Amino acid sequence: MSEIRIRSYENLSPVAQFPGVTRRTLVSGDRLTFVEIQLQPDAEVPEHTHPHEQAGHVAAGRVRFRIGAVESELGPGSSYLIPGDVPHHVVALEDSTLIEVFSPVREDFADD
């Protein structure tokens, strides 16, 4: 069972994921990983897959997602769900912040 974890944003380490894309792991437990992704205009996360279910929320900005064969432009307040093993890709149309959760735990992101 996970222990209680409280983390201050100023103590989180930013990780350069791709050019113009920065990730911060907000917290990670036994069953999920909670992450903030910041994207600069025109930055992109190349198409990829992973076995984790991924849910997200656009906290700020505008992005274009391609999830499987579905392409959508999302703005503040929009949410999305990406089933495990479905190819997906995102491009920032402006400075953007995404808040995402992955299940099971993303061991490669866990408490960076």
Side-chain angles (χ1 to χ4, degrees), residues 37-74:
I37 307 288
Q38 294 182 329
L39 302 102
Q40 297 174 353
D42 300 319
E44 73 177 279
V45 176
E47 183 174 85
H48 64 286
T49 63
H50 46 73
H52 312 83
E53 186 171 53
Q54 175 179 347
H57 172 79
V58 180
R62 296 197 74 71
V63 294
R64 184 178 312 110
F65 262 99
R66 187 176 64 249
I67 303 169
V70 176
E71 191 163 317
S72 299
E73 188 173 308
L74 305 175

Side-chain angles (χ1 to χ4, degrees), residues 54-58 78-82 98-101:
Q54 175 179 347
H57 172 79
V58 180
S78 297
S79 297
Y80 49 92
L81 178 70
I82 305 170
L98 309 177
I99 304 298
E100 299 186 328
V101 64

Side-chain angles (χ1 to χ4, degrees), residues 12-28:
L12 302 178
S13 302
V15 175
Q17 189 86 16
F18 302 101
V21 179
T22 303
R23 176 188 88 237
R24 282 181 178 82
T25 298
L26 301 172
V27 72
S28 194

